Every structure is written in C-alpha cells, then in structure tokens.
Amino acid sequence: MLVYGPEFFANTALPTALDMVQRLPGFTLDTGNGDARGLAGNTGNVLIDGKPPASKTDGLGEILRRISAASVARIELIRGGAPGIDMQGRAVIANVVLKRTASTEKLVNFQSYIYRDGYVGPDVTLQLTHRDGDRRDEVSLEVLSDRTSSTAHGIRTRTDASGNQLQRHQLDLWDRDRTATLRASLQRATGGGLLTVNGRLDYFDYPTSQTVTLLQGTGSSGRASDLTHQWKGELGANWAKSLGGKTEVELIALQRLGHTGYDTTTTVGGFQSTFSQQSRSGESIFRPILRYKPDKTLSLEGGGEVAYNFLDNRTAYAEQGVPVPLPDQKVFVSEVRGELFGLARWQPSSRLTIEAGMRTEVSRIAANADTNRARSFFYPKPRLQLTLRPNKRDQVRLRVEQSVSQLDFNDFVAATEINLGTVRAGNGDLVPEQTLTMEAVYEHRFWGKGALELSAKHEATRHVIDYIPLDGGYDAIGNIGNGTRDTLGSTLTLPFDKLGIKDARFRGNASVVRSHVTDPLTGERRRYANEQPFACSGSFSQDLFGGRFTYGIYGSCGQPSTNLYRISEFRTTEVEPTVEVYGIWKPSKKLAIRLDLGNINNAARIYNRDLYTGERNASPLLYHERRTQRRGQYLYLQIRRTL
C-alpha cells in the first residue's frame, strides 16, 4: 500500500478529490459501468473510506468531484489487495480517506462551456455537506443546459462504385442537453454498525436535429429531428458492522426505476418516416457480504447477490404515415439473477500475495414479444491472481479469470439511428459472451513520484456479440462465434523535479489491440466491431506559486479507423488528434477558478459508409458516403466557491 497524504498535494491548486485521484502516480481512474446490471465489478476502482459508493446512477466521477480537497485526509493506493478492503475484483484500488473532524461546507459550483459561435452552456451546483466523525449529511441540486459534441457542421458526399460524385450535402447538426439532478445522502451509526443511505432523482431532456442541404447532384434536402425525455430515480443503502475483531458483515440494497420516451421524424424530399419508443425499466439488488480475517496473512470473504431487472419497451415505425411492422417491437424483458462468491487472500510473505476466488451465477431471462422466450444460464467464474514484490519499487501481477458479459436489454428491441435513417430489429435469442482472460502487469516506481506500468493481456471469447442477418432484410444484434483479443498497454508518470523543472510531470499512456473473429457473411477473419487498434494520450502539468496555480496541456492521438460490420453496409469512424490547455488558479483556500481551451485544432470526426443493395458479401455497392464533422473550439470555465 502506498499512502499519499497532505504533503503530496501541498503545492498543488487541485480543488477536488477527483483532481487528487487523477494525480496519483501510475493510477488510471475507472469510474465503472453504472448501466451494467448488478454491483459486482461495476462500481469503479475508487473507494470512499474503504467502501464502494452505495449508488450506481451517481457516477464515481461525480461523487469525487463533489468532495473538496480540504476534506481529504489521505489517499491510499492499494496494489494487490489489503486486509478488510473490498477490491471489487480489481488489482489496484484507490481509497479516499476523509477527515473525521466536525465541519460544515456550503458549495457553489458554476461551470460552463463557451462555444465559438457564442453559445453558453451553464451548469450550476448547490451543495451542503456536514461531517462529524461517522455522522455525514449531504444534499445537492444540479441544473444544466448545454450541448454536446453532436452539435457540429460538416459535409457529406456520396459517390458510386467508380468514384463518381452522386451527391454533396451540407450538414448542420444541433442538440441540447437539459438536466436537473437532486441528490441526498446520510451516514449514521445504526444497530451497532455504520449505515449509509443515498438517493437521487434525475430529469433529462434531449432534443436533436440534423438538417441536410443538397449542394450538388441529384436528390433532395432533408431534415431529421428527435426528442428524448427521461426520468430516473435511485435509492441505495449500505450497512456494515464488525462482529468482533476478526469478522465483518456488510449489507447492500439498491432500487432503481426509470422511464424513457423517444420520438423521431425524418423527412427527405416528400418521403417521411417516424419512429417512437416508450420504455420503463427497473433494478432491485440485495447483496450480503461476510469477511473473516483469522490472522495477518489470511483473509476470507464470501457472500451473494440477488437481483431483479426488467425493461418494458414499445416501439412503432411508420413510412408515409403507414405503420411498418418490426420484429419484436413490443417487448417485456425480465431477469432474475443470483450469484454466490467466495474469495481467499493469502500473504505467505511480504513479497507474495495470492488471491483466489470463485463466483457462480445463475440467471433466467424471459422476453415476451412476437414469440415468448425464456432461458436459464449457469456460469462459474473462477479468478486467480498472484502479486509479486521482489523489492519496494517493483511489482508483478499475474491474473487468470473467467468472466461473463451482461446482455443489453436494448438489444432485445427495435431501434433507429436518426442521423443515418437506419432501423435495427430486436433479437431475443442473444447469449452472453464468455471470456477467459490472462494478464500480466509489471509496475516500477521511481524518483518518488514516478511510475511505469507495462501490461499484456490475452482474451479468448465465446459467443462474440455483433450484427447478424434476420429474415425480411433486417439485421439485429446477435452472436457470431468465437474470437480472440490481444492487448499491449503502457502508462508512464514522469516527474521533472530531478530534471530541473520543479513540481512538473508528464503522464502518458498507449495501447495496441489486435483481435480476430469470423465474419458471419464473408467467412473471413476480421477484427471486432468498433475495436480501436491503437490509442495514446499524454499530458504535461506544473504547479506554481506554492500551489496557487496549476497549468497543463493535454493531447491525444485521436482514433484510427474503427470498423462496424452491418449486414448491408460497412462503416468506419476516425477522429483526428486533439489538443487542449488549461489553468487552475486558487486565490484562496475556498475559491478555485479553472479555464480550459478545448479542441484547439478543431479536430474532425470522419465517418465512411459503404451501402449495398443487399448483403454486403454478395450485392453491388449502392453508394459510398463520407461525412466530415467539426464541433469547433470551446472554452470551459469553472468557478468553485466554498462558503
């Protein structure tokens, strides 16, 4: 375990726990997957006072952003496991330990994106927090009205198989993100243990439009517009109690409910199509955990999880006002899932830790649609990890694990893409992906604040999920067979103190991915859909004036071509490299001001589509389409004031 106390962050202008976690040498924040069902492995790689958040909707990044740096006593970087710490199935965890002294903090946070065309997207948060030992209370309200990178301008061209231009269009894309979020949490000593309760209520309103203006060629101009509105609510509780010095029990309960409405209209010339969707969803979870530590070298953990999930979805599609039936356009999907798990962590010496665990999952998924389907699954998921520490600076982690993916209930229902005018059918015959992972990680610490990590990972997957053809000319998400993926990764934190630049650092990462799966149409080997074969990014930052000012520059290599293989089309997506700079000024302990200049080089997103008259392996090309979109430069301003 590495401990980063106040002295490590003393000469910085970092205002929040999120900024502090992102500063940890050799640590990469993973906020988890709040959309995944269940809690196991989905809550991210940061704990608060040794416990994961008792919330899924309230993202880990949001929670850390609301914790002021002044409230943090220290951050522990736990590598390879530690007694009494729930590692969430991860090799490295950051534990944010909060101060226990009595304090009341009132926070006003204003932030806004300011775009080149003059649009301002404000985001205001009001927060009240009181802490006194184990007693904590927090309530906050956040309201924003902004736009996303989907607001952009560009050009779309279409050419035939010989490269002759058929059409050239101007694209004007517009969207707005209007959100209101109310959060509340409390923590109390209750029943001899510690109880934490979290609640959250969200309203989301998201209209978009795309206007296509014909500039050259034959054809028509067009317009597509849609509106998404959503309500979500969540209530979660976590209760932990020590049963003597060696045993601890923890109970977690969670309830989520939501409603989403979606309506879209597309008009091209005199042709109009409409698509609408209404869905209700819910998740109920109960998770008991028992931990036992007979001595300093051995800790045992066991428990289970019971969950019920449902999605009630209704879709409708029409052309020229005439309804067009879609497969599975009315679907009720439900899942009852149970999991038992056991974990043993043994440290026979200071240089070796062995962690072995087994999770067994039993589930039943039922889909009531055009035809009623119900299937039951049983999956054992063993895991073994060895952590070797030959000296204080080096660590080697070896992991073998069997995992099972979660089926996305939205793949069971029909869907449309407003900007492309495509329709996808639902498929209730999906099977989860099953992956055997073997990973090796080498970590080296140097110069006090420096870290280098090299990793190699091999994944062998059964029942890879991708697009499959259906009768009637539609395609849907389905299983296409077995595949493999190999990943080489590296991360580097390089402090510049020894190079003559005080309180400066470089952080960079790079990864190379190679995957192989058999295409269901051509029978040829290709990489996974949407697989990014190479990724890299880097940043340089420096703290000045005793921690009152921090500046930095960030750049990414962009995104090389990623491929999507639909039944009658082939797509690629590329993103040009991006650059941004930022500065944080902290004139006092209670006030922090941040300014970012983003997308300085106005990076483009480039989309290519090859559309065929039928299945792409046996039909002539209808046309090739290329879209180039740019969102423009923007400023980001944040003013964070505690009262």
Side-chain angles (χ1 to χ4, degrees):
M1 178 190 299
L2 300 175
V3 179
Y4 297 93
E7 68 284 351
F8 182 82
F9 302 100
N11 293 326
T12 73
L14 305 179
T16 71
L18 176 62
D19 299 301
M20 297 169 73
V21 165
Q22 292 175 329
R23 180 64 67 88
L24 297 177
F27 180 76
T28 301
L29 175 65
D30 182 352
T31 58
N33 184 4
D35 294 327
R37 300 185 300 280
L39 292 172
N42 298 324
T43 54
N45 61 353
V46 177
L47 306 177
I48 310 296
D49 284 335
K51 305 296 181 185
S55 173
K56 289 178 62 180
T57 305
D58 202 10
L60 182 57
E62 299 175 68
I63 295 172
L64 293 172
R65 188 180 290 110
R66 296 198 303 273
I67 300 175
S68 66
S71 302
V72 178
R74 65 185 184 277
I75 301 180
E76 301 168 346
L77 190 61
I78 303 166
R79 303 172 298 154
I85 295 295
D86 183 359
M87 296 294 291
Q88 299 291 297
R90 300 174 183 271
V92 180
I93 284 283
N95 180 32
V96 178
V97 181
L98 302 179
K99 294 178 179 178
R100 296 177 57 82
T101 54
S103 64
T104 298
E105 182 179 86
K106 301 173 184 178
L107 170 68
V108 178
N109 186 86
F110 171 82
Q111 57 191 29
S112 178
Y113 288 93
I114 306 168
Y115 300 94
R116 191 172 62 178
D117 59 4
Y119 180 79
V120 177
D123 181 348
V124 179
T125 300
L126 305 176
Q127 179 177 314
L128 175 64
T129 304
H130 176 73
R131 298 185 179 92
D132 186 1
D134 289 332
R135 183 186 179 95
R136 295 174 190 163
D137 302 278
E138 179 185 314
V139 61
S140 68
L141 174 65
E142 180 179 6
V143 180
L144 72 89
S145 177
D146 198 4
R147 71 191 197 195
T148 73
S149 59
S150 296
T151 291
H153 302 281
I155 295 293
R156 184 182 75 185
T157 59
R158 289 178 174 174
T159 57
D160 61 20
S162 300
N164 302 312
Q165 182 172 287
L166 300 174
Q167 295 176 338
R168 186 170 182 267
H169 289 94
Q170 176 180 298
L171 300 177
D172 294 292
L173 293 88
W174 173 95
D175 74 336
R176 290 294 182 268
D177 176 1
R178 298 186 281 256
T179 303
T181 303
L182 178 65
R183 308 178 182 91
S185 69
L186 63 86
Q187 182 173 283
R188 295 287 189 276
T190 304
L194 193 61
L195 174 67
T196 304
V197 179
N198 293 295
R200 174 170 170 150
L201 182 65
D202 292 85
Y203 175 72
F204 174 69
D205 183 78
Y206 184 60
T208 77
S209 69
Q210 174 182 273
T211 302
V212 180
T213 305
L214 182 66
L215 301 177
Q216 294 177 343
T218 59
S220 303
S221 300
R223 178 179 172 80
S225 60
D226 71 352
L227 174 63
T228 302
H229 54 87
Q230 183 180 74
W231 285 94
K232 293 191 299 183
E234 177 185 281
L235 181 64
N238 181 305
W239 181 72
K241 178 180 180 180
S242 175
L243 305 177
K246 297 182 178 181
T247 308
E248 181 188 59
V249 62
E250 182 177 3
L251 303 178
I252 304 173
L254 183 75
Q255 177 65 60
R256 298 201 298 176
L257 294 171
H259 176 272
T260 302
Y262 174 76
D263 295 282
T264 177
T265 300
T266 304
T267 303
V268 180
F271 180 82
Q272 185 180 84
S273 63
T274 61
F275 182 88
S276 64
Q277 180 177 8
Q278 296 288 325
S279 65
R280 297 182 302 111
S281 61
E283 179 177 34
S284 306
I285 303 173
F286 177 66
R287 182 178 176 85
I289 305 170
L290 183 65
R291 300 185 180 94
Y292 176 62
K293 187 175 183 298
D295 56 50
K296 294 182 179 181
T297 65
L298 179 65
S299 62
L300 305 174
E301 181 178 308
E305 183 171 296
V306 179
Y308 172 74
N309 302 273
F310 74 88
L311 173 67
D312 186 3
N313 191 85
R314 301 290 185 269
T315 57
Y317 178 62
E319 295 179 351
Q320 297 292 82
V322 179
V324 177
L326 298 174
D328 293 337
Q329 63 184 29
K330 295 182 179 181
V331 179
F332 182 86
V333 185
S334 62
E335 178 192 44
V336 178
R337 181 172 52 82
E339 179 179 275
L340 294 176
F341 67 90
L343 176 68
R345 185 179 293 111
W346 180 41
Q347 189 173 345
S349 71
S350 60
R351 296 189 176 187
L352 174 64
T353 300
I354 303 173
E355 182 178 284
M358 170 65 79
R359 295 160 57 196
T360 57
E361 177 182 319
V362 178
S363 64
R364 183 181 186 274
I365 297 179
N368 299 324
D370 295 346
T371 58
N372 295 333
R373 294 177 290 267
R375 288 170 298 158
S376 297
F377 302 100
F378 172 76
Y379 296 111
K381 296 178 286 187
R383 182 177 188 271
L384 176 64
Q385 177 174 290
L386 304 180
T387 301
L388 309 173
R389 291 172 287 271
N391 53 59
K392 293 183 179 180
R393 293 185 175 184
D394 298 305
Q395 187 177 97
V396 177
R397 297 186 292 271
L398 306 175
R399 175 173 66 99
V400 179
E401 183 173 7
Q402 178 75 38
S403 61
V404 179
S405 72
Q406 288 192 359
L407 296 180
D408 187 342
F409 284 176
N410 291 312
D411 293 336
F412 287 65
V413 303
T416 184
E417 295 172 294
I418 175 179
N419 293 340
L420 302 179
T422 64
V423 177
R424 187 202 76 204
N427 176 24
D429 294 323
L430 279 167
V431 174
E433 293 181 339
Q434 303 166 48
T435 301
L436 176 64
T437 300
M438 294 179 286
E439 182 180 35
V441 179
Y442 167 71
E443 179 187 293
H444 176 66
R445 301 270 164 172
F446 62 97
W447 293 358
K449 300 178 181 179
L452 172 66
E453 183 177 283
L454 304 174
S455 63
K457 181 167 61 175
H458 174 75
E459 299 168 286
T461 301
R462 299 175 57 195
H463 309 303
V464 173
I465 293 177
D466 206 322
Y467 278 93
I468 62 171
L470 296 181
D471 295 337
Y474 292 107
D475 57 12
I477 301 297
N479 301 102
I480 64 171
N482 301 336
T484 60
R485 178 193 285 123
D486 296 293
T487 305
L488 295 176
S490 63
T491 62
L492 172 66
T493 301
L494 177 65
F496 279 76
D497 299 79
K498 290 185 177 294
L499 301 177
I501 306 177
K502 186 179 179 181
D503 295 326
R505 70 212 54 83
F506 169 82
R507 291 176 64 97
N509 64 77
S511 62
V512 177
V513 181
R514 294 292 180 266
S515 60
H516 300 280
V517 70
T518 301
D519 190 283
L521 291 181
T522 66
E524 298 176 350
R525 299 283 282 175
R526 60 162 171 85
R527 68 177 187 241
Y528 287 9
N530 296 319
E531 185 83 272
Q532 187 170 340
F534 176 74
C536 71
S537 64
S539 66
F540 174 85
S541 62
Q542 185 179 17
D543 304 307
L544 301 173
F545 311 122
R548 296 184 64 184
F549 183 74
T550 296
Y551 75 93
I553 181 171
Y554 169 84
S556 77
C557 299
Q559 175 183 296
S561 176
T562 61
N563 303 335
L564 179 66
Y565 309 83
R566 296 196 65 165
I567 301 309
S568 60
E569 63 176 292
F570 170 70
R571 303 181 191 176
T572 66
T573 303
E574 303 173 40
V575 181
E576 293 180 347
T578 59
V579 178
E580 65 179 60
V581 297
Y582 69 91
I584 304 174
W585 179 41
K586 202 170 183 179
S588 68
K589 293 182 179 181
K590 295 186 176 183
L591 177 63
I593 301 172
R594 175 170 179 150
L595 185 65
D596 296 43
L597 176 57
N599 196 25
I600 295 175
N601 57 325
N602 197 13
R605 300 182 70 92
I606 303 168
Y607 305 88
N608 291 286
R609 299 172 69 206
D610 290 331
L611 277 78
Y612 297 84
T613 57
E615 295 185 351
R616 56 182 161 80
N617 64 317
S619 304
L621 181 72
L622 182 62
Y623 60 80
H624 170 78
E625 177 180 287
R626 182 178 178 88
R627 290 184 295 143
T628 303
Q629 299 173 194
R630 299 181 188 271
R631 67 176 298 194
Q633 295 87 353
Y634 60 86
L635 288 173
Y636 170 77
L637 173 66
Q638 181 188 46
I639 302 174
R640 182 184 176 91
R641 171 72 174 176
T642 55
L643 306 175

